[in-house]
Amino acid sequence: MSVTATTSQSLDQPAATPLAAEIARIYGTPAVVIDLDIVEANIARLQAACDAAGVANRPHIKTHKSPVLARLQVEAGARGITCQKLGEAEVMADGGLDDILISYNILGEEKLGRLGALQRRVRMIVAADNPVTISGLPRAAEIAGRDLEVVIECDTGRKRAGVETPGEAVELAKMVAASPGLRFAGFLMYPPENGWERTQTFLDTANAGLHDAGLKADIVSTGGSPNIPNIGKLKGATEHRAGTSIFNDRMQVAAGVATLENCALNVYATVVSRAAPERGILDAGSKTLTSDVGGLDGHGLILEYPRARIAQFAEEHGFLDLSGTNERPVVGEVVRIVPNHVCVVVNMVDRLITVRGDKLVGELPVAARGKLT
Amino acid sequence: MSVTATTSQSLDQPAATPLAAEIARIYGTPAVVIDLDIVEANIARLQAACDAAGVANRPHIKTHKSPVLARLQVEAGARGITCQKLGEAEVMADGGLDDILISYNILGEEKLGRLGALQRRVRMIVAADNPVTISGLPRAAEIAGRDLEVVIECDTGRKRAGVETPGEAVELAKMVAASPGLRFAGFLMYPPENGWERTQTFLDTANAGLHDAGLKADIVSTGGSPNIPNIGKLKGATEHRAGTSIFNDRMQVAAGVATLENCALNVYATVVSRAAPERGILDAGSKTLTSDVGGLDGHGLILEYPRARIAQFAEEHGFLDLSGTNERPVVGEVVRIVPNHVCVVVNMVDRLITVRGDKLVGELPVAARGKLT
């Protein structure tokens, strides 16, 4: 290490682009930055895919958690939105959104009270996959003073939530239809990318059972950004829920449904240490980029140093393995990272910094961040 | 699945303890809960370990991010506190804390300006492991109008930040001493749990080099909760930085430095789905418990069902593998989880719910949550 006792050094940080230097100078790093031009193109592309398939677009706001961006999605043609948590739906309703599907079992007196209050204000649809959930939902409808729409969550291979058989789905549909204040609205599905035939068989069998019971599924909702190329594949589907595609990330690129140019979100980080030639430290660790690895090698792609590997994390340290690259950043340098999983990164920050191309625009609050309940 | 069309079901959620039922009823789940009795005992135990070794206690606030808890630590005898980010230090200073070590390289005009402003208010010590960092720090001292204390970060085996040799440490100490507005204060170390001999050799060699240069290390700071049993092992150490021990977690238990009874933080979660006999879904996923696995099997310990395995996460789903347990929770049931890594869990939430034993106390804001910069 060569040590020079100078104090006249410029405080500007070296960066690959003037914008990166500007963001570091104004906000410091790490900074979570979205390009609104790319965001708008991503919104339009999802809407076009839904339009082409004749399926309604109900984007999942879990990725951006911003009523401002949700309104952009609705203005582009989305029928409504999807939330995973009641607290997210409350923030969206406060932000002027309506027609909100919560794709999750809602349980317990505290949540049912809030759901009822929310349904007084906006159209709510909720999911259920079991009798306990369904038996509580009339309480929400009672508070709302009007019927609550319920979709039955069906599992066709992910082994997450959702009944495993069409027979169970029909039984729960009948239970909803027989419950005071509830209206059976249809089915919620999240088909595995390679599970569309199985999902079709499930749906057809469930629909036949509904028919026998004098019921009908007005909504058949499919989900997933990796499923965007499959929108319309399921005969009878009425709408699709995609979240990640508004920003995209390294996982979407790996899945072949986005390119790096479609990735709207970068984490700008500074190299804060280079204690040895073949390694370095970024000021973004698991409290910024999170430990979600998503089955990929390394914890993100550094655009300026694609052969550098983010090998591991401490909470505020990203461990750079530079052994595979001759191009190596210096201490103080600002780099841009495409994260593996963008949804969890957005959830770490209270605001996103917004840009358009090489111009800084401003800030956008992540208004529904951290809404656990 | 047996479906009963009843709507007269109680909305109370089954729970192992009345307190768990009460927290679910008031706050909903997931809820991140700390027991203040255990917190206070953990604070006292760390202070006693430092006192017994004749080493000052400078706890790391990264774990709790609360000025209220930091003040408890100082009232128990801590000399000062440690922060990883400038934004954390600002929140702590606002909360009345003084004598703050930032154990991190601070770079860039934006941060140096804030550091200078902060140093006008409180005693600040910062770490550096390279000449670029040191060359910027006089700017902060200039803004503060008084000398800034700098410790040189030394690596003795973790391969994170820190110079790798005593010679580099001494060279940087001399650079600090020669810089206007800076005062060389000592060394920052984070010895691997099995690396104390190497650390001793490093320190002794560096101290000899300092002596030759007419310098002296007033501070020799060691770190780590797993190192609490090793406090005092390094001859010449003056203080210790431990973070996690205020709450503890499954990793600390696995490391043998805490018991389950010392774990002050539980995540209360609800079982929201039981689609098949051998599996279930918790309403706490990677956006609550995080994907930090910490080298352990599973993503947390369920106190009521220790043989249930939290096998994987989606963002808001915890996948329960119940194949290894005959005791299985029902839908709607509230369970308590000891997380693998508590520091990242606290950073997900804006408030902690506080209890003492079986009594609910109130809430505590995580005031320095999400302070990335």
Side-chain angles (χ1 to χ4, degrees):
Chain A
M1 182 184 294
S2 118
V3 174
T4 315
T6 171
T7 59
S8 59
Q9 173 237 23
S10 161
L11 298 176
D12 282 345
Q13 297 183 241
T17 69
L19 178 63
E22 185 182 8
I23 284 174
R25 197 167 56 241
I26 296 175
Y27 296 100
T29 63
V32 181
V33 180
I34 57 168
D35 187 315
L36 294 173
D37 288 341
I38 303 176
V39 168
E40 288 170 359
N42 289 346
I43 289 173
R45 199 167 44 252
L46 172 60
Q47 187 63 48
C50 290
D51 290 347
V55 162
N57 182 22
R58 187 185 287 283
H60 204 311
I61 64 81
K62 64 162 188 155
T63 306
H64 57 71
K65 296 195 172 222
S66 159
V68 175
L69 295 182
R71 284 201 304 269
L72 286 186
Q73 292 174 312
V74 169
E75 284 162 17
R79 166 169 304 176
I81 59 169
T82 308
C83 297
Q84 206 72 322
K85 294 282 181 171
L86 189 56
E88 294 172 343
E90 290 167 336
V91 170
M92 293 296 139
D94 291 346
L97 280 298
D98 201 340
D99 201 339
I100 301 175
L101 166 66
I102 301 182
S103 50
Y104 211 84
N105 285 291
I106 294 179
L107 286 149
E109 183 173 13
E110 188 264 351
K111 287 201 177 67
L112 292 167
R114 288 163 56 201
L115 175 60
L118 191 55
Q119 205 209 335
R120 294 176 82 101
R121 297 197 278 154
V122 298
R123 180 194 183 194
M124 294 298 303
I125 311 161
V126 298
D129 79 349
N130 66 77
V132 178
T133 298
I134 294 170
S135 69
L137 293 175
R139 175 72 183 138
E142 189 186 351
I143 293 168
R146 60 180 170 125
D147 282 2
L148 176 64
E149 292 173 74
V150 181
V151 290
I152 302 302
E153 185 165 3
C154 305
D155 178 61
T156 60
R158 283 187 198 268
K159 303 280 179 195
R160 200 168 79 169
V163 293
E164 290 188 341
T165 66
E168 289 169 295
V170 173
E171 284 305 302
L172 291 179
K174 286 154 72 175
M175 181 178 171
V176 168
S179 298
L182 303 188
R183 190 170 89 69
F184 169 68
F187 296 122
L188 180 86
M189 297 177 147
Y190 184 17
E193 289 92 78
N194 61 0
W196 290 82
E197 284 183 31
R198 194 185 329 150
T199 304
Q200 189 71 61
T201 304
F202 189 114
L203 177 60
D204 294 345
T205 310
N207 275 335
L210 285 186
H211 183 265
D212 292 345
L215 294 171
K216 186 170 160 291
D218 292 329
I219 295 173
V220 176
S221 183
T222 58
S225 287
N227 271 328
I228 292 176
N230 299 321
I231 294 177
K233 223 179 230 185
L234 183 71
K235 278 180 207 126
T238 65
E239 64 173 43
H240 190 75
R241 318 176 310 277
T244 314
S245 71
I246 190 170
F247 292 155
N248 288 311
D249 55 23
R250 208 169 158 230
M251 282 167 68
Q252 302 301 308
V253 174
V257 294
T259 66
L260 275 181
E261 289 68 36
N262 305 141
C263 291
L265 184 145
N266 289 168
V267 174
Y268 289 48
T270 295
V271 177
V272 292
S273 175
R274 281 293 315 282
E278 299 208 330
R279 63 186 185 86
I281 295 292
L282 292 172
D283 63 357
S286 66
K287 280 180 175 169
T288 301
L289 287 162
T290 87
S291 295
D292 265 29
V293 71
L296 304 179
D297 179 63
H299 288 277
L301 173 72
I302 301 178
L303 290 174
E304 292 80 9
Y305 299 94
R307 295 172 64 85
R309 190 166 171 274
I310 305 177
Q312 66 177 98
F313 284 140
E315 288 159 53
E316 307 289 6
H317 297 76
F319 288 62
L320 280 180
D321 175 0
L322 303 172
S323 61
T325 176
N326 291 322
E327 303 291 313
R328 294 170 180 174
V330 297
V331 170
E333 188 167 339
V334 182
V335 298
R336 296 169 301 167
I337 303 160
V338 177
N340 285 14
H341 187 190
V342 75
C343 309
V344 287
V345 174
V346 172
N347 189 50
M348 303 307 283
V349 295
D350 295 320
R351 64 166 186 206
L352 299 169
I353 295 162
T354 55
V355 303
R356 286 189 186 274
D358 59 2
K359 299 289 183 220
L360 181 61
V361 175
E363 297 177 36
L364 189 65
V366 186
R369 193 217 78 74
K371 298 298 178 194
L372 271 64
T373 68
Chain B
M1 182 183 293
S2 117
V3 173
T4 314
T6 171
T7 59
S8 58
Q9 174 236 24
S10 161
L11 298 175
D12 281 347
Q13 297 183 239
T17 69
L19 178 64
E22 184 182 8
I23 284 174
R25 196 167 56 242
I26 295 176
Y27 295 102
T29 63
V32 182
V33 180
I34 58 167
D35 186 315
L36 294 173
D37 288 341
I38 304 176
V39 168
E40 288 170 0
N42 289 344
I43 289 173
R45 197 165 48 250
L46 172 60
Q47 186 63 48
C50 290
D51 290 347
V55 162
N57 182 22
R58 187 184 288 283
H60 204 312
I61 64 83
K62 64 161 188 156
T63 305
H64 59 71
K65 296 194 172 224
S66 159
V68 175
L69 296 183
R71 283 200 306 268
L72 286 186
Q73 292 174 312
V74 169
E75 285 162 16
R79 167 169 302 176
I81 58 170
T82 308
C83 297
Q84 206 72 323
K85 293 283 179 169
L86 189 55
E88 294 172 343
E90 289 167 336
V91 170
M92 293 296 140
D94 291 346
L97 280 298
D98 201 340
D99 200 339
I100 301 175
L101 165 66
I102 300 181
S103 49
Y104 211 85
N105 283 291
I106 294 179
L107 287 150
E109 184 173 12
E110 188 264 351
K111 287 201 179 66
L112 291 166
R114 288 163 56 201
L115 175 60
L118 190 55
Q119 206 209 336
R120 294 176 82 101
R121 297 197 277 154
V122 298
R123 180 194 183 193
M124 294 298 304
I125 310 161
V126 298
D129 79 349
N130 66 77
V132 177
T133 298
I134 294 170
S135 69
L137 292 175
R139 175 69 184 138
E142 190 186 349
I143 292 167
R146 60 182 170 124
D147 282 2
L148 175 64
E149 293 173 74
V150 182
V151 289
I152 302 303
E153 184 166 3
C154 305
D155 177 62
T156 59
R158 284 188 197 268
K159 302 281 179 195
R160 199 168 80 170
V163 294
E164 291 188 341
T165 66
E168 290 169 294
V170 173
E171 283 307 301
L172 292 180
K174 287 155 71 174
M175 180 179 170
V176 168
S179 299
L182 304 188
R183 190 170 87 69
F184 168 70
F187 296 122
L188 180 85
M189 295 174 149
Y190 184 17
E193 288 93 78
N194 60 0
W196 289 83
E197 285 183 29
R198 195 185 329 150
T199 304
Q200 188 72 61
T201 305
F202 189 114
L203 177 60
D204 294 346
T205 311
N207 274 336
L210 286 186
H211 184 265
D212 292 347
L215 294 172
K216 187 170 157 293
D218 292 329
I219 295 173
V220 176
S221 183
T222 57
S225 287
N227 272 327
I228 292 175
N230 299 320
I231 295 177
K233 222 179 230 184
L234 183 71
K235 278 181 205 125
T238 66
E239 64 174 43
H240 190 75
R241 317 176 310 279
T244 313
S245 71
I246 189 170
F247 293 155
N248 289 311
D249 55 23
R250 206 168 159 232
M251 282 168 66
Q252 301 302 307
V253 174
V257 294
T259 66
L260 275 181
E261 290 66 37
N262 305 141
C263 291
L265 184 144
N266 289 168
V267 174
Y268 289 47
T270 296
V271 177
V272 293
S273 174
R274 280 295 313 283
E278 299 209 328
R279 62 186 187 86
I281 295 292
L282 291 173
D283 64 357
S286 66
K287 280 180 174 168
T288 301
L289 287 163
T290 88
S291 295
D292 266 29
V293 72
L296 303 181
D297 178 63
H299 287 278
L301 173 72
I302 302 178
L303 290 175
E304 291 81 9
Y305 300 94
R307 295 173 64 86
R309 189 166 172 272
I310 305 176
Q312 67 177 99
F313 284 140
E315 287 159 51
E316 307 289 7
H317 297 76
F319 289 61
L320 280 182
D321 175 359
L322 303 172
S323 61
T325 177
N326 291 321
E327 303 292 312
R328 293 169 181 176
V330 298
V331 170
E333 187 168 340
V334 182
V335 297
R336 296 169 300 166
I337 303 161
V338 177
N340 284 14
H341 188 191
V342 75
C343 309
V344 287
V345 174
V346 173
N347 190 49
M348 304 307 283
V349 295
D350 296 320
R351 63 167 186 204
L352 299 169
I353 296 162
T354 55
V355 303
R356 285 190 187 273
D358 58 2
K359 299 287 182 221
L360 181 62
V361 175
E363 297 177 35
L364 189 65
V366 185
R369 195 217 77 76
K371 298 299 179 194
L372 271 64
T373 67

